[in-house]
Each structure stands twice: as C-alpha cells, then as structure tokens.
Amino acid sequence: MPTVAAGKIILGFALFEAALQLLLPGKRFEGPISPSGNVPVYKANGLQAYAVTLVAYLSLWWFGIFNPAVVYDHLGEIFSALVFGSLVFCVFLYIKGHVAPSSSDSGSSGNPIIDFYWGMELYPRIGKHFDIKVFTNCRFGMMSWAVLAVTYCIKQYEMNGQVADSMLVNTALMLIYITKFFWWESGYWCTMDIAHDRAGFYICWGCLVWVPSIYTSPGMYLVNHPVNLGPQLALSILLAGILCIYINYDCDRQRQEFRRTNGKCTVWGKAPSKIVASYQTTKGETKTSLLLTSGWWAVARHFHYVPEILSAFFWTVPALFDHFLPYFYVIFLTILLLDRAKRDDDRCSSKYGKYWKTYCNKVRYRVIPGIY
C-alpha cells in the first residue's frame, strides 16, 4: 500500500523535475500544426534537465546525503502510490478538459469513459508555460526510468559489493537510450504521443506508472538475479544494443531534418524522394505535408520501431533465459509499437486520403520489410 515515505519520494522528485522544466534555459521550439490549426510552443531544455537530474542524484549518494537504495527498498509502496495518485491526476485532467481547456484542440466525444481514457485535451497546460504532457511523458516518465536504472545498479553494489557485468550492460544501454531520447526530445514532440494522442488515462497514467514500473523491470530483476556474462558476451551485447539505438536515432534524425528543411536536405548522400500531400484542418484550411520516401523511410513506413524493439531486447538479454519476467517488457513493447504503427497508418489514411495510398504503394511494408 502507499506510504508517507513513498509519497515524499514521489513528491520530491516531481517538484524537482517540474522546477527544472520551468526554470532551466532552452531554445524555443514550435511543434507541428494541430488539427485545429494551433502551433504549440515548447522550451527545449530536456537534455539539461536530464544532466542535472543524474548529477544531482549521484551527488546525493556520493556525499552520503541520500541513499538511492532507499528507493529500491520502498519500490512496492512507490509503485502503489503512483497507481492511485496517477488515477487521481487523470480525473483532474478529465475535469480540466471540461471546465478549463488550454486550447481549441480539446472537446468531448460524448462518452465519459472514452473521454477519460483517451483524454479531453491535446495540449493541456497549467498557466502559459507548464506543459502537462511534456511533464508526464518526458520529465517524470522518462526521467524516472533513468533514475531507477541507476538505483538498481547502486542497490546491487550495496548488496554484493560489486556490480555484475550483466547489470552494467543493462544500465549502460538504458542510459544511452534515454540520453538519445533527451538529445532528440524536440523530435518526440512531433510524434504521435504528443501531436495526436490526447492527455488521458492511456498516455498520462501509462507514463506516470507503466514506464517507471515495467520499462525498468529488466534492471529490477537483475538486482537479485545477477548474471556473469564474461567480457566477450557482455561486450557483444553492449555493441549490438548501441548499434540498434543508433539506427533508431538515425531514423528519427532523417525525418526530423527532412521536416526542418522542408525537404531541402540530403538523405544517405542524395536528394530525398518525397510525396507532397495536401489535407484540410478542422477549420477547413488546406495545408500540405511532405512524406519522406528515402533512406530508412523507404525500407518500411515505421521501420524505426524495429531497432527500438531490438534495443529493448539487448538490454534485457543480459538476464539470459532463466525466467520469463525480464522479457515481459520486450513483449509488451512489441505489441504497443505494432498497434501504434497500425493506428498511425489509419490516421494518416484518413488525413491524406489518396496521397497516403500513393505513399503505401511506394513504401509497401508497415514495419518489417518483406514480412509486415
């Protein structure tokens, strides 16, 4: 059950991250035009917040001010508090969407269950500058993933006097992936999670509860089940994981650079091929988008999900195959991303119509070339 100690840990972390989100400097970034024609504006300071968070957390441990092992020792209480607290937070989002929406990108479906689950608002904010989805998805969800990865490593060290090479590979790959995420955070603000999915139970409860509990579970398992891989196997897994994370990053970088330059860039050393697609906003305005059909985006429409799933596999496989539990996350992620690819295809088909059919004829496979 939730405890006061767990509540203090969660509240302290949440307030610290909220302060960093508001106070740290960052470049102005404009997100994609919303269905209602709005352009959300963000302050891109995620990488700075990530660095400050890890340095602060490790410093508290190094100087004996706070022992991260305490977080591990209260983990069940923390997850329980997050389950209930995040549910209350989602009720707040539902009420806010009805009473005080932040923009015209909001509204009810007429079904309260659907409104609660999928959300009322696309870009909910508190005041003018505090973006709720940036906080839940990035500054709490992703940041807690990094903090817990470090926590598990420290806990194993305190228990055994050393950190197994399996835990080192797991922690290193997770931190490299999360570093990539915050390096590319402004690109994430253009993805389905932020630009299309509203702030409801599905996204916000998932980021506040599911990410810190399930996404970190391979490391959580390794705390009490250390595996000695040996230098050769450990290095092989590490390099394979880094390669997958890089390919995942390069996929997103290609698309972001293509969008930023309006197609006036090179992809794999050549001018990119593209489809110019027009669509209408909910206000009836006609606008255009460019659909990239070069580089990784010529391999499959959502090929970037393949290296993402493989990355998760490589930071899980150091646990080897003695138990099913560490692999639950990889299986869940595969289902999540395949479902997201289908939902994104359906949304784009509805948005772009005949242009999307042309795109699908040119890039035939949805995720895995030659298979799916």
Side-chain angles (χ1 to χ4, degrees), residues 220-233:
M220 187 197 313
Y221 173 85
L222 283 169
V223 171
N224 291 308
H225 303 85
V227 176
N228 293 313
L229 300 171
Q232 186 173 354
L233 181 57

Side-chain angles (χ1 to χ4, degrees), residues 6 17 33 44 61 64 80 104 118 135 143 145 148 270 313 359 365 372:
E17 294 304 328
I33 299 172
W61 173 58
S80 179
S104 57
W118 285 112
F135 176 75
M143 208 73 77
W145 186 355
L148 286 172
K270 298 185 294 185
F313 172 78
Y359 176 69
Y365 294 100
Y372 175 68

Side-chain angles (χ1 to χ4, degrees), residues 251-270:
C251 291
D252 292 324
R253 183 200 61 78
Q254 277 186 0
R255 182 171 60 178
Q256 189 174 8
E257 183 67 11
F258 175 76
R259 288 171 172 171
R260 187 185 69 80
T261 61
N262 202 29
K264 297 175 182 177
C265 62
T266 59
V267 175
W268 289 353
K270 298 185 294 185

Side-chain angles (χ1 to χ4, degrees), residues 90 114 129-130 156 180-181 186 189 205 242 246 282 286 327:
C90 291
I114 291 176
H129 300 292
F130 190 75
Q156 190 183 84
K180 182 271 299 184
F181 174 86
S186 58
W189 295 334
W205 191 91
I242 291 173
Y246 173 76
T282 55
T286 300
Y327 293 90

Side-chain angles (χ1 to χ4, degrees), residues 332-349:
F332 160 76
L333 182 68
T334 302
I335 296 169
L336 173 76
L337 295 183
L338 292 181
D339 172 71
R340 182 177 293 175
K342 183 182 183 304
R343 288 198 298 119
D344 199 27
D345 270 17
D346 292 343
R347 181 188 61 82
C348 289
S349 178

Side-chain angles (χ1 to χ4, degrees), residues 198-221:
R198 294 187 174 195
F201 179 88
Y202 170 75
I203 280 290
C204 294
W205 191 91
C207 289
L208 294 172
V209 180
W210 203 249
V211 170
S213 60
I214 301 303
Y215 285 39
T216 67
S217 58
M220 187 197 313
Y221 173 85

Side-chain angles (χ1 to χ4, degrees), residues 351-369:
K351 180 179 180 179
Y352 297 119
K354 63 181 181 180
Y355 301 103
W356 187 252
K357 289 183 180 179
T358 303
Y359 176 69
C360 291
N361 288 334
K362 192 165 186 178
V363 184
R364 293 178 54 205
Y365 294 100
R366 182 176 285 165
V367 179
I368 306 171

